[in-house]
Amino acid sequence: MAHRNGHSDRPARSHPSKGLVGFVIVCALLSLIWFNAGSEGQLRKTYSSLSNEAEKPASFSTTASAGSEQQTVDAQLHNVTSPSMNVSLPAPFPTLSPPDNEEYMAICMAVKNQSRDLPEFFTHYYFHHGIRRFYIFDDGTEPPLSSVTYPIPSSAITWVYFQPHLHSDQLDDRKGIQEQYYSGCVTMFGDRHTWMGFLDADEFLEMTGGETLSGFLHEWARNNTVGAVGVNWLVHSSAGLLTRPAEGPRKAFNRCIVDDPNNDNLKVKTFVRTALFDTMWNCHCVAVLKNGAIQVGEHGDVIDKSCDRKPITRDRWGLHHYGTKSREEFLEKQARGKIRGGKSTEHWWNKIENAEQRDCLELTKYVP
Ligand SMILES: *[C@@H]1O[C@H](CO)[C@@H](O)[C@H](O)[C@H]1NC(C)=O
Ligand SMILES: *[C@@H]1O[C@H](CO)[C@@H](O)[C@H](O)[C@H]1NC(C)=O
Ligand SMILES: *[C@@H]1O[C@H](CO)[C@@H](O)[C@H](O)[C@H]1NC(C)=O
Ligand SMILES: *[C@@H]1O[C@H](CO)[C@@H](O)[C@H](O)[C@H]1NC(C)=O
């Protein structure tokens, strides 16, 4: 620009000046392409160095040496100039989402005793949705969930530990605790993020319409009437598996229940705009938003206090909910109990297992 203005009052030079402008534009484009390729390359390097670490089975099952192993992961991450790329590592699929380094969005979770389930959860959201901030409210797990190594940089995870865990076999004995955790998450950390999502360790988001999560949420943030956006569940069954599959839920549980206005695919989980958030209605959706804001589904349709959304659509996004997993994991889930008291019922297992099902292969191809 400076060149162009500097020469514009001299007609004799107009020709070379045009060339110069073209040159500058080409340079700008090239550097843009280089920049994008650079960040993509960086992401793939991170993926490969972290994946090497994650392949060591011991890192999930022991806690004694966890601290030093986590340091190794971080050291590898910062050592991206070393030729650590393992060429035999499968290419990421689908294309990895750009990292949300400004932490425009974050995820809040209340969880206990699921250190074996968290690695795949973190991997999915870190690499495929670009999430760089996870708030994990650990409901008294012994030893704490934070003492285990996970396959993403520890700097992306903020642990909040509540002790002791007061388990109760009475359903709703700790009624409201999960909502308190979620509201607390927004109170404590909400001012650092424009959006926060409230998810469980068995919920995996898919952007079905080719958008990124960040792009999708940026778009909703332009409308000040919208304070929260809900995504419909797609509940997966055990797919007939009796024991915990080695390859993880996204690959293994490839059957889900067919949408029906009377089944659990109606349920939504929610991302809220922190500036408009007041309190949760239940763990699925938001009761009160500020300034009369509303909660909507992907088409701008209003979601009411039932936290159900019908017609069920997943044109832009959908939430795969591995609610039963294998029989073995369901029994563990029952033993663990719900955070609010009580436990998952046999009735619910039967309801999902006996519902009409179809193949659900969408997430089976994801790498990592
Ligand atoms: C970087 O990696 C190289 C080769 O693996 C290693 O020798 C070096 O100590 C690493 N540097 C840091 C700071 O971790
Ligand atoms: C690369 O990955 C393969 C397969 O996972 C493994 O056998 C090999 O040892 C790895 N090589 C390096 C240098 O990490
Ligand atoms: C935590 O879960 C594991 C299985 O993943 C189980 O063996 C263990 O008993 C559980 N601990 C508690 C305190 O529930
Ligand atoms: C904002 O979203 C609401 C709910 O979908 C819709 O009714 C309204 O027209 C939108 N406003 C704008 C300016 O797009």
Side-chain angles (χ1 to χ4, degrees), residues 133-180:
R133 181 56 49 204
F134 298 88
Y135 296 104
I136 308 296
F137 284 49
D138 182 347
D139 191 37
T141 309
E142 282 297 343
L145 291 168
S146 59
S147 60
V148 182
T149 304
Y150 297 100
I152 63 167
S154 59
S155 55
I157 310 171
T158 301
W159 300 98
V160 184
Y161 189 61
F162 292 86
Q163 200 185 25
H165 169 63
L166 303 169
H167 179 69
S168 168
D169 287 332
Q170 288 302 113
L171 183 64
D172 288 342
D173 222 28
R174 301 174 80 214
K175 194 173 169 64
I177 187 79
Q178 201 156 352
E179 293 74 14
Q180 281 174 36

Side-chain angles (χ1 to χ4, degrees), residues 29-244:
L29 282 175
L30 279 176
S31 62
L32 199 67
I33 290 165
W34 176 84
F35 173 78
N36 281 331
S39 51
E40 167 90 24
Q42 196 92 336
L43 204 59
R44 287 196 58 156
K45 270 186 195 158
T46 305
Y47 158 55
S48 60
S49 68
L50 291 173
S51 297
N52 286 342
E53 189 65 22
E55 273 159 20
K56 295 176 192 166
S59 59
F60 299 159
S61 54
T62 69
T63 54
S65 59
S68 63
E69 281 182 14
Q70 189 68 59
Q71 277 167 13
T72 314
V73 175
D74 292 341
Q76 286 194 8
L77 183 71
H78 293 123
N79 198 356
V80 287
T81 50
S82 73
S84 62
M85 188 80 148
N86 188 337
V87 287
S88 67
L89 203 69
F93 181 85
T95 307
L96 300 184
S97 202
D100 173 28
N101 286 326
E102 69 197 44
E103 300 186 14
Y104 179 73
M105 45 192 187
I107 288 177
C108 294
M109 182 193 293
V111 63
K112 65 173 169 179
N113 201 20
Q114 283 190 270
S115 57
R116 294 209 296 166
D117 298 329
L118 286 176
E120 186 159 342
F121 179 90
F122 284 140
T123 298
H124 183 76
Y125 286 94
Y126 186 90
F127 290 107
H128 294 291
H129 296 297
I131 296 288
R132 291 295 180 268
R133 181 56 49 204
F134 298 88
Y135 296 104
I136 308 296
F137 284 49
D138 182 347
D139 191 37
T141 309
E142 282 297 343
L145 291 168
S146 59
S147 60
V148 182
T149 304
Y150 297 100
I152 63 167
S154 59
S155 55
I157 310 171
T158 301
W159 300 98
V160 184
Y161 189 61
F162 292 86
Q163 200 185 25
H165 169 63
L166 303 169
H167 179 69
S168 168
D169 287 332
Q170 288 302 113
L171 183 64
D172 288 342
D173 222 28
R174 301 174 80 214
K175 194 173 169 64
I177 187 79
Q178 201 156 352
E179 293 74 14
Q180 281 174 36
Y181 281 150
Y182 290 164
S183 297
C185 192
V186 181
T187 307
M188 291 163 74
F189 307 111
D191 59 355
R192 304 172 190 202
H193 313 281
T194 305
W195 293 91
M196 287 177 127
F198 305 109
L199 299 173
D200 290 333
D202 56 6
E203 293 173 332
F204 288 74
L205 189 68
E206 181 193 4
M207 299 309 293
T208 53
E211 296 166 280
T212 62
L213 176 59
S214 173
F216 177 78
L217 293 177
H218 271 93
E219 199 180 310
W220 285 113
R222 293 208 310 251
N223 183 335
N224 287 326
T225 310
V226 173
V229 190
V231 55
N232 273 100
W233 262 356
L234 180 57
V235 181
H236 287 240
S237 71
S238 75
L241 298 181
L242 298 179
T243 56
R244 183 185 175 92

Side-chain angles (χ1 to χ4, degrees), residues 310-341:
K310 55 185 163 183
I312 300 164
T313 64
R314 298 183 202 83
D315 300 319
R316 302 177 69 184
W317 65 346
L319 189 62
H320 296 264
H321 175 41
Y322 300 97
T324 64
K325 298 194 178 169
S326 63
R327 184 66 192 162
E328 177 186 37
E329 290 159 290
F330 187 74
L331 295 177
E332 283 172 7
K333 182 179 176 174
Q334 284 189 315
R336 191 162 68 229
K338 289 177 189 283
I339 284 178
R340 67 164 190 264

